[in-house]
Amino acid sequence: MKFVTLFNIVNAISVECASLQFFDYQGEFIPYQQDILKSGSYDSDGFKDATLEEKWGQEWAFDGIPTFAHLNHTRCLLDDQVSFDIGIIGIPFDTATTYRSGARFGPRAIRDASQRQSSMRSFNQRAGLNPYLDWAKFLDCGDMPITPMDNTIALKQMTFGFEELILKRENVDKFNGHKTPKLIALGGDHSITLPHLRSLKQVYGQIAVIHFDAHIDTWSPKAFPNYWSSNQSDFNHGSMLWMAHNEGLISNNSNVHIGLRTKLMGTDWNDYEDDTRQGWTRYSGDDVWINGREGLDNMIEEIHHRIGDLPTFISLDVDCMDPAFTPGTGTIEPGGMLPREVIYLLRRFDLNIVGADVVEVAPVYDNAEVTSTNAAQVVYEIATNMVLRGKREKKEEEVA
C-alpha cells in the first residue's frame, strides 16, 4: 500500500513538472522559451527543428577527434591542391636526442592539451581578436611520417616534407604578394628546426631566429663524445643551429637565445665565444627575471632593434621553462622561466614571423598535461601574433 501511494505521488509530481516545463518558479514564461514556442521551432517532442549542423556541429572540449584546437584536418602532404594561411604540422621524431627520448609523442600530447581552444572559445584579450576566426585560414595538416630507424633518411624526409608544404602550397589570402603559407611545427625533438629553416631560406633568404631554450644548441658535434661518430651523428638536437649557421640558413648577427642556463663544456667560456661567432646574442634565465617587468621590456626593445623587419623564426624548446612547469621534456634544467614570462615576451613581439616550432614535449615524463598545456598555449600565442601582424599589413595595403 505504501509503495502504491508513493508511486502515485511521484507520478503526480512528474506530470505537474512536465506541464510547467516552460515556466519559471513564479509561473511566468521565460522570455527565451516563450519566443521558441511562438516561433514553432520545437516539434511535438520538444526537440528543436534545426539543421544537422545546428544540432550536432559544435563540440565540447572533450568531444571529437583531437586535432589542434578542433581545427579542420587534412593530410596536407597528400593533397597538393590544399591551401591554407597558417598550418599546424606534427613532426613525431626524437632519435636525434642526446638524453631522454620520448618527444615523438609530443604532437599528439600537444593536440590533446589544446582541446580547450576552439574557434568558439579563443578570443585573445591581449590582441583583441580570435586568431581562428579572423582573416587567416587555419588547418591542422596532420603529422609528417618520419622513420625512427635511420636519421639520415629522417632528415631527408623532413627536408622534403617542409619543402612540399612551404614551397609547393599557396596561402588563401594573398595580400602584399605573399603566397607562402606559414607553419607552426609540433615536435618532436629540437633537431626538426633545421629542415624547417632549409625551406624558409629558399623563400625569404637568411632567417633571424629567436630561440627559447635552456641550452644554446650551437655546439659543434665534436663537443660531444665523438670517437664513434659519423656524418649522421652530426645531426642532433644540440647541433642543429650549428648546422644551420654552417649552411648559411640563419642571419649572421641577428639571432637571439632566451632562457639559457645549462652547464657548459670544458673549463672556460669557449661555448659562448663560438656561439657569438655564429651570430647570437644571449639572455640567460636570470636575465629574464632579475629586473622584473622593466627588464623584460628592455629585452623586447633590444630584440626588436637587433632583428628589425627581418623574416623571423621562433623556436621554443619547452625546457626554457622551469621543470615545475614543464617536467615532460628530455633535458630539464632547474631555475627556468615561468610560463607567464614566456607568454609576456611572445605577446609583445612585433616581428615578421614566418614560421615557428614548439619542441621537446615528452609526455611520458609529464604530469597532468602540465607541459603539453603550456606548449599548446605557446602555439596559440604565436598564431595570434601571426594573425595580428597580417591584419595590420592588410590594413596598410588597403590604405596604400
Side-chain angles (χ1 to χ4, degrees):
M1 189 68 178
K2 291 182 179 179
F3 174 78
V4 174
T5 301
L6 179 61
F7 175 80
N8 290 338
I9 293 172
V10 171
N11 187 54
I13 292 173
S14 300
V15 171
E16 184 66 18
C17 288
S19 68
L20 295 175
Q21 61 181 325
F22 291 117
F23 290 81
D24 66 11
Y25 71 96
Q26 295 176 328
E28 300 292 334
F29 271 110
I30 298 173
Y32 172 70
Q33 292 171 330
Q34 188 174 17
D35 292 342
I36 291 173
L37 287 177
K38 286 181 178 179
S39 69
S41 59
Y42 274 77
D43 62 24
S44 59
D45 292 326
F47 293 104
K48 189 177 180 184
D49 180 14
T51 66
L52 293 177
E53 177 63 28
E54 288 175 319
K55 289 179 179 179
W56 311 115
Q58 293 185 347
E59 294 180 335
W60 291 92
F62 45 81
D63 288 343
I65 304 299
T67 65
F68 187 87
H70 297 266
L71 296 172
N72 290 333
H73 167 250
T74 298
R75 294 185 67 185
C76 299
L77 285 168
L78 297 181
D79 185 354
D80 60 6
Q81 298 302 309
V82 70
S83 59
F84 54 91
D85 295 302
I86 300 173
I88 308 296
I89 181 71
I91 313 294
F93 173 76
D94 67 0
T95 54
T97 56
T98 57
Y99 194 47
R100 300 191 300 189
S101 60
R104 69 183 66 180
F105 299 103
R108 182 178 298 176
I110 297 171
R111 287 188 175 100
D112 283 344
S114 76
Q115 294 310 288
R116 291 185 67 246
Q117 298 181 38
S118 69
S119 58
M120 183 177 70
R121 188 183 180 275
S122 287
F123 183 81
N124 191 316
Q125 301 177 55
R126 179 269 312 179
L129 57 78
N130 182 331
Y132 306 130
L133 291 178
D134 211 272
W135 64 267
K137 177 183 176 182
F138 278 83
L139 198 60
D140 188 328
C141 288
D143 287 349
M144 190 182 296
I146 309 296
T147 179
M149 311 297 288
D150 186 319
N151 281 5
T152 298
I153 295 175
L155 180 54
K156 287 181 180 179
Q157 288 178 303
M158 289 186 281
T159 298
F160 293 153
F162 278 113
E163 288 178 351
E164 184 72 32
L165 295 174
I166 293 174
L167 305 182
K168 300 180 182 180
R169 302 293 186 275
E170 291 193 355
N171 61 14
V172 177
D173 201 326
K174 300 175 179 62
F175 62 91
N176 277 350
H178 293 226
K179 294 184 179 180
T180 304
K182 297 178 180 180
L183 291 175
I184 303 176
L186 313 179
D189 72 46
H190 214 151
S191 66
I192 71 166
T193 300
L194 178 65
H196 201 160
L197 290 172
R198 284 176 171 176
S199 294
L200 292 174
K201 167 66 164 26
Q202 296 181 60
V203 178
Y204 301 101
Q206 288 186 321
I207 308 296
V209 178
I210 298 178
H211 176 229
F212 287 82
D213 205 312
H215 315 88
I216 54 176
D217 292 348
T218 56
W219 283 293
S220 164
K222 292 184 173 58
F224 300 101
N226 66 342
Y227 179 81
W228 303 100
S229 62
S230 67
N231 291 335
Q232 177 174 304
S233 63
D234 285 357
F235 175 59
N236 65 77
H237 75 160
S239 299
M240 77 288 173
L241 294 177
W242 176 86
M243 294 181 70
H245 168 75
N246 287 348
E247 292 181 20
L249 308 180
I250 61 178
S251 65
N252 293 323
N253 58 5
S254 300
N255 309 304
V256 179
H257 297 294
I258 302 175
L260 299 178
R261 61 190 185 279
T262 191
K263 295 168 282 294
L264 303 179
M265 305 287 187
T267 60
D268 56 22
W269 297 96
N270 184 65
D271 286 350
Y272 277 2
E273 291 168 358
D274 191 44
D275 185 71
T276 300
R277 285 193 291 268
Q278 295 179 46
W280 293 86
T281 193
R282 293 170 296 279
Y283 295 99
S284 71
D286 289 345
D287 291 331
V288 170
W289 68 265
I290 204 161
N291 291 314
R293 179 177 173 179
E294 182 180 354
L296 290 175
D297 289 340
N298 289 338
M299 184 186 304
I300 292 164
E301 183 178 352
E302 291 167 5
I303 290 171
H304 282 164
H305 179 74
R306 183 178 180 87
I307 293 178
D309 203 41
L310 288 175
T312 302
F313 185 86
I314 293 181
S315 184
L316 188 140
D317 185 330
V318 294
D319 72 21
C320 70
M321 290 176 267
D322 192 83
F325 307 102
T326 53
T329 190
T331 49
I332 59 175
E333 301 284 356
M337 300 171 68
L338 302 179
R340 70 184 180 196
E341 294 165 344
V342 172
I343 292 168
Y344 183 81
L345 290 171
L346 291 173
R347 287 179 172 180
R348 296 294 301 278
F349 286 149
D350 181 14
L351 298 165
N352 179 21
I353 302 171
V354 297
D357 60 30
V358 181
V359 299
E360 299 285 357
V361 172
V364 68
Y365 312 115
D366 203 4
N367 178 49
E369 293 188 324
V370 172
T371 306
S372 50
T373 299
N374 281 318
Q377 181 70 24
V378 167
V379 175
Y380 168 74
E381 298 294 348
I382 294 173
T384 298
N385 259 347
M386 289 178 171
V387 173
L388 192 62
R389 173 80 176 214
K391 192 169 187 174
R392 191 182 76 197
E393 290 179 352
K394 286 168 68 68
K395 287 182 179 179
E396 292 172 351
E397 184 182 57
E398 291 170 0
V399 171

